[in-house]
Amino acid sequence: MNLDSAGLQVLDRAECMVLLSSVPVGRIVFTDRALPAVQPVNFLVVENHIVIRTGRGSKLAAAARDAVVAFEADEFDAERWTGWSVTAIGQARAVVAPGEIERLSRLPLTAWAPGDRDHYIVMRIEEVSGRRIRDRVTRR
Amino acid sequence: MNLDSAGLQVLDRAECMVLLSSVPVGRIVFTDRALPAVQPVNFLVVENHIVIRTGRGSKLAAAARDAVVAFEADEFDAERWTGWSVTAIGQARAVVAPGEIERLSRLPLTAWAPGDRDHYIVMRIEEVSGRRIRDRVTRR
Protein backbone atom coordinates (compact mmCIF):
# COMPACT_ATOMS: atom_id res chain seq x y z
CA MET A 1 0.00 0.00 0.00
CA ASN A 2 1.36 3.36 -1.09
CA LEU A 3 1.25 5.92 1.76
CA ASP A 4 2.08 9.62 1.51
CA SER A 5 4.17 11.53 4.05
CA ALA A 6 1.04 12.19 6.12
CA GLY A 7 0.23 8.46 6.35
CA LEU A 8 -2.71 8.64 3.94
CA GLN A 9 -3.19 5.93 1.33
CA VAL A 10 -2.42 7.24 -2.16
CA LEU A 11 -5.07 6.17 -4.68
CA ASP A 12 -4.10 5.39 -8.26
CA ARG A 13 -5.83 6.94 -11.25
CA ALA A 14 -8.19 3.99 -11.78
CA GLU A 15 -9.35 4.06 -8.14
CA CYS A 16 -9.80 7.83 -8.32
CA MET A 17 -11.99 7.55 -11.43
CA VAL A 18 -14.17 4.84 -9.87
CA LEU A 19 -14.67 6.85 -6.67
CA LEU A 20 -15.32 10.07 -8.59
CA SER A 21 -18.02 8.28 -10.57
CA SER A 22 -19.67 6.92 -7.42
CA VAL A 23 -21.12 10.13 -5.96
CA PRO A 24 -23.72 12.59 -7.31
CA VAL A 25 -22.31 15.83 -5.85
CA GLY A 26 -18.83 17.32 -6.13
CA ARG A 27 -17.34 20.77 -5.67
CA ILE A 28 -15.89 22.93 -8.38
CA VAL A 29 -13.12 25.25 -7.23
CA PHE A 30 -12.41 28.36 -9.23
CA THR A 31 -11.40 31.98 -8.92
CA ASP A 32 -14.04 34.66 -8.66
CA ARG A 33 -12.81 38.24 -8.76
CA ALA A 34 -9.33 37.14 -7.64
CA LEU A 35 -10.72 35.25 -4.63
CA PRO A 36 -10.90 31.48 -4.19
CA ALA A 37 -14.44 30.22 -4.74
CA VAL A 38 -16.10 26.84 -4.36
CA GLN A 39 -19.53 25.60 -5.36
CA PRO A 40 -21.19 22.19 -4.96
CA VAL A 41 -22.67 20.83 -8.19
CA ASN A 42 -24.31 17.72 -9.55
CA PHE A 43 -22.00 16.09 -12.08
CA LEU A 44 -21.27 13.03 -14.17
CA VAL A 45 -17.97 11.53 -15.25
CA VAL A 46 -18.09 10.83 -18.99
CA GLU A 47 -14.91 9.14 -20.18
CA ASN A 48 -12.17 11.56 -19.22
CA HIS A 49 -14.45 14.53 -18.58
CA ILE A 50 -16.54 15.95 -15.77
CA VAL A 51 -19.88 17.26 -16.99
CA ILE A 52 -21.66 19.87 -14.85
CA ARG A 53 -25.12 21.23 -15.42
CA THR A 54 -25.77 24.76 -14.18
CA GLY A 55 -27.78 27.90 -14.83
CA ARG A 56 -26.80 30.01 -17.82
CA GLY A 57 -26.35 33.24 -15.88
CA SER A 58 -24.68 31.68 -12.84
CA LYS A 59 -21.50 33.00 -11.26
CA LEU A 60 -20.05 29.57 -11.91
CA ALA A 61 -20.88 29.72 -15.63
CA ALA A 62 -19.08 33.04 -15.90
CA ALA A 63 -16.07 32.21 -13.76
CA ALA A 64 -15.37 28.69 -15.03
CA ARG A 65 -15.37 29.65 -18.69
CA ASP A 66 -12.00 28.65 -20.17
CA ALA A 67 -10.30 28.59 -16.79
CA VAL A 68 -8.22 25.93 -15.11
CA VAL A 69 -10.36 24.67 -12.26
CA ALA A 70 -10.18 22.00 -9.59
CA PHE A 71 -12.95 19.55 -8.92
CA GLU A 72 -13.24 17.66 -5.65
CA ALA A 73 -15.47 14.84 -4.43
CA ASP A 74 -15.26 12.97 -1.16
CA GLU A 75 -17.06 10.76 1.33
CA PHE A 76 -16.32 10.61 5.04
CA ASP A 77 -17.60 8.44 7.84
CA ALA A 78 -17.64 10.30 11.15
CA GLU A 79 -18.13 7.08 13.14
CA ARG A 80 -15.09 5.29 11.76
CA TRP A 81 -12.89 8.35 11.04
CA THR A 82 -12.41 7.07 7.55
CA GLY A 83 -13.09 8.32 4.06
CA TRP A 84 -11.65 9.32 0.74
CA SER A 85 -11.17 12.45 -1.33
CA VAL A 86 -10.39 12.78 -5.04
CA THR A 87 -9.33 16.02 -6.74
CA ALA A 88 -9.13 16.55 -10.48
CA ILE A 89 -7.53 19.51 -12.22
CA GLY A 90 -8.27 20.60 -15.76
CA GLN A 91 -9.43 23.19 -18.20
CA ALA A 92 -13.13 23.98 -18.05
CA ARG A 93 -15.15 25.17 -21.01
CA ALA A 94 -18.72 26.25 -21.53
CA VAL A 95 -20.56 24.13 -24.07
CA VAL A 96 -21.96 26.32 -26.84
CA ALA A 97 -22.45 24.03 -29.85
CA PRO A 98 -26.18 23.15 -30.12
CA GLY A 99 -25.35 19.57 -31.17
CA GLU A 100 -23.20 19.02 -28.08
CA ILE A 101 -25.81 20.58 -25.77
CA GLU A 102 -28.42 18.25 -27.30
CA ARG A 103 -26.15 15.25 -26.73
CA LEU A 104 -25.33 16.24 -23.14
CA SER A 105 -29.02 16.84 -22.35
CA ARG A 106 -29.60 13.11 -22.90
CA LEU A 107 -27.22 12.19 -20.08
CA PRO A 108 -28.75 11.03 -16.79
CA LEU A 109 -27.60 14.27 -15.17
CA THR A 110 -30.25 16.14 -13.23
CA ALA A 111 -29.45 19.21 -11.18
CA TRP A 112 -30.99 19.01 -7.70
CA ALA A 113 -31.36 22.77 -7.55
CA PRO A 114 -34.55 24.22 -9.04
CA GLY A 115 -34.71 26.55 -12.02
CA ASP A 116 -33.44 26.36 -15.58
CA ARG A 117 -30.24 24.38 -15.76
CA ASP A 118 -29.68 24.27 -19.48
CA HIS A 119 -26.04 25.31 -19.40
CA TYR A 120 -23.22 22.76 -19.41
CA ILE A 121 -19.64 23.09 -18.29
CA VAL A 122 -17.24 20.36 -19.34
CA MET A 123 -13.91 19.90 -17.64
CA ARG A 124 -11.25 17.70 -19.18
CA ILE A 125 -9.50 15.76 -16.41
CA GLU A 126 -5.81 16.50 -16.88
CA GLU A 127 -4.58 15.44 -13.45
CA VAL A 128 -6.34 13.42 -10.82
CA SER A 129 -5.15 12.49 -7.34
CA GLY A 130 -6.79 10.91 -4.36
CA ARG A 131 -6.23 9.89 -0.78
CA ARG A 132 -7.96 7.52 1.58
CA ILE A 133 -7.93 7.72 5.37
CA ARG A 134 -7.90 4.16 6.56
CA ASP A 135 -10.03 2.89 9.38
CA ARG A 136 -8.57 3.53 12.84
CA VAL A 137 -8.84 -0.17 13.67
CA THR A 138 -7.44 -1.74 10.50
CA ARG A 139 -4.46 0.59 10.33
CA ARG A 140 -3.14 -0.44 13.70
CA MET B 1 -37.99 32.93 2.59
CA ASN B 2 -35.16 34.61 0.72
CA LEU B 3 -34.37 32.87 -2.59
CA ASP B 4 -31.50 33.64 -4.95
CA SER B 5 -31.82 33.87 -8.73
CA ALA B 6 -31.26 30.11 -9.00
CA GLY B 7 -34.14 29.36 -6.62
CA LEU B 8 -31.89 28.35 -3.72
CA GLN B 9 -32.71 29.47 -0.20
CA VAL B 10 -30.24 32.11 0.99
CA LEU B 11 -29.05 31.42 4.54
CA ASP B 12 -28.30 34.27 6.90
CA ARG B 13 -25.05 34.56 8.83
CA ALA B 14 -26.44 32.97 12.00
CA GLU B 15 -27.74 29.93 10.10
CA CYS B 16 -24.44 29.62 8.26
CA MET B 17 -22.48 29.62 11.53
CA VAL B 18 -24.74 26.98 13.11
CA LEU B 19 -24.45 24.70 10.06
CA LEU B 20 -20.70 25.22 9.78
CA SER B 21 -20.34 24.20 13.42
CA SER B 22 -22.42 21.03 12.90
CA VAL B 23 -20.01 18.97 10.76
CA PRO B 24 -16.53 17.58 11.49
CA VAL B 25 -15.03 17.88 8.00
CA GLY B 26 -14.80 20.85 5.65
CA ARG B 27 -12.69 21.77 2.65
CA ILE B 28 -10.09 24.48 2.53
CA VAL B 29 -9.64 26.06 -0.90
CA PHE B 30 -6.37 27.75 -1.69
CA THR B 31 -3.89 28.36 -4.46
CA ASP B 32 -0.97 25.99 -4.92
CA ARG B 33 1.61 27.03 -7.50
CA ALA B 34 -0.94 29.24 -9.27
CA LEU B 35 -3.47 26.39 -9.52
CA PRO B 36 -6.71 26.04 -7.55
CA ALA B 37 -6.34 23.47 -4.78
CA VAL B 38 -8.74 21.95 -2.29
CA GLN B 39 -8.19 19.73 0.71
CA PRO B 40 -10.61 18.18 3.19
CA VAL B 41 -9.72 18.84 6.83
CA ASN B 42 -11.08 18.34 10.31
CA PHE B 43 -11.96 21.69 11.83
CA LEU B 44 -13.68 23.54 14.63
CA VAL B 45 -15.46 26.88 14.64
CA VAL B 46 -14.21 28.96 17.59
CA GLU B 47 -16.03 32.27 17.83
CA ASN B 48 -15.41 33.91 14.48
CA HIS B 49 -12.56 31.64 13.45
CA ILE B 50 -12.07 28.30 11.77
CA VAL B 51 -9.34 26.24 13.41
CA ILE B 52 -7.64 23.53 11.34
CA ARG B 53 -5.13 21.01 12.59
CA THR B 54 -2.63 19.72 10.06
CA GLY B 55 0.90 18.42 9.64
CA ARG B 56 3.73 20.92 9.94
CA GLY B 57 5.30 20.14 6.58
CA SER B 58 2.04 19.77 4.67
CA LYS B 59 1.34 21.43 1.34
CA LEU B 60 -1.62 23.02 3.05
CA ALA B 61 0.53 24.48 5.83
CA ALA B 62 2.80 26.09 3.23
CA ALA B 63 0.11 27.32 0.85
CA ALA B 64 -2.38 28.66 3.37
CA ARG B 65 0.16 30.75 5.26
CA ASP B 66 -1.04 34.37 5.22
CA ALA B 67 -3.25 33.83 2.19
CA VAL B 68 -6.90 34.59 1.62
CA VAL B 69 -8.60 31.21 1.46
CA ALA B 70 -12.10 29.86 1.14
CA PHE B 71 -13.55 27.24 3.43
CA GLU B 72 -16.55 25.15 2.48
CA ALA B 73 -18.72 22.65 4.35
CA ASP B 74 -21.88 20.96 3.16
CA GLU B 75 -24.29 18.10 3.64
CA PHE B 76 -26.41 16.56 0.90
CA ASP B 77 -29.12 13.92 0.91
CA ALA B 78 -29.16 11.96 -2.35
CA GLU B 79 -32.57 10.45 -1.57
CA ARG B 80 -34.35 13.74 -1.10
CA TRP B 81 -32.23 15.93 -3.42
CA THR B 82 -31.78 18.35 -0.58
CA GLY B 83 -28.87 19.80 1.34
CA TRP B 84 -26.93 22.88 2.27
CA SER B 85 -23.55 24.43 1.62
CA VAL B 86 -21.76 27.19 3.50
CA THR B 87 -18.64 28.99 2.28
CA ALA B 88 -16.48 31.31 4.36
CA ILE B 89 -13.75 33.57 3.05
CA GLY B 90 -10.93 34.99 5.12
CA GLN B 91 -7.29 35.40 5.82
CA ALA B 92 -5.51 32.28 7.02
CA ARG B 93 -2.47 32.33 9.27
CA ALA B 94 -0.18 29.69 10.71
CA VAL B 95 -0.12 29.69 14.50
CA VAL B 96 3.45 30.11 15.75
CA ALA B 97 3.18 31.47 19.29
CA PRO B 98 3.78 28.60 21.76
CA GLY B 99 1.09 29.92 24.10
CA GLU B 100 -1.52 29.91 21.36
CA ILE B 101 -0.52 26.41 20.18
CA GLU B 102 -0.85 25.19 23.77
CA ARG B 103 -4.30 26.77 24.05
CA LEU B 104 -5.48 25.35 20.70
CA SER B 105 -4.17 21.88 21.58
CA ARG B 106 -6.77 21.77 24.37
CA LEU B 107 -9.63 22.10 21.88
CA PRO B 108 -11.65 18.96 21.10
CA LEU B 109 -10.15 18.94 17.61
CA THR B 110 -8.69 15.62 16.51
CA ALA B 111 -7.41 15.06 12.99
CA TRP B 112 -8.73 11.81 11.52
CA ALA B 113 -5.62 11.36 9.43
CA PRO B 114 -2.70 9.60 11.11
CA GLY B 115 0.69 11.14 11.85
CA ASP B 116 1.82 14.22 13.72
CA ARG B 117 -0.74 16.99 13.46
CA ASP B 118 0.76 19.58 15.72
CA HIS B 119 0.39 22.50 13.33
CA TYR B 120 -2.59 24.85 13.46
CA ILE B 121 -4.01 27.12 10.81
CA VAL B 122 -6.53 29.72 11.93
CA MET B 123 -8.78 31.47 9.47
CA ARG B 124 -10.71 34.55 10.49
CA ILE B 125 -14.18 34.43 8.93
CA GLU B 126 -14.55 37.70 7.07
CA GLU B 127 -17.45 36.75 4.80
CA VAL B 128 -19.79 33.82 5.06
CA SER B 129 -22.57 32.80 2.71
CA GLY B 130 -24.78 29.77 2.43
CA ARG B 131 -27.49 28.16 0.38
CA ARG B 132 -30.00 25.43 0.99
CA ILE B 133 -31.65 23.27 -1.65
CA ARG B 134 -35.12 22.63 -0.39
CA ASP B 135 -36.82 19.28 -0.50
CA ARG B 136 -38.42 18.44 -3.87
CA VAL B 137 -41.74 17.78 -2.16
CA THR B 138 -42.01 20.76 0.17
CA ARG B 139 -40.99 23.26 -2.49
CA ARG B 140 -43.85 22.29 -4.79
Side-chain angles (χ1 to χ4, degrees), chain A residues 70-93:
Chain A
F71 189 86
E72 192 263 358
D74 59 41
E75 262 184 340
F76 293 99
D77 180 335
E79 297 290 311
R80 298 172 65 210
W81 287 18
T82 182
W84 59 265
S85 167
V86 169
T87 301
I89 303 260
Q91 183 90 20
R93 67 181 174 85

Side-chain angles (χ1 to χ4, degrees), chain B residues 3-32:
Chain B
L3 301 182
D4 70 9
S5 62
L8 301 178
Q9 183 186 348
V10 178
L11 303 175
D12 66 25
R13 186 180 177 96
E15 290 171 301
C16 287
M17 295 302 285
V18 168
L19 289 169
L20 206 50
S21 305
S22 73
V23 289
V25 175
R27 297 149 203 97
I28 185 165
V29 171
F30 55 102
T31 302
D32 181 40

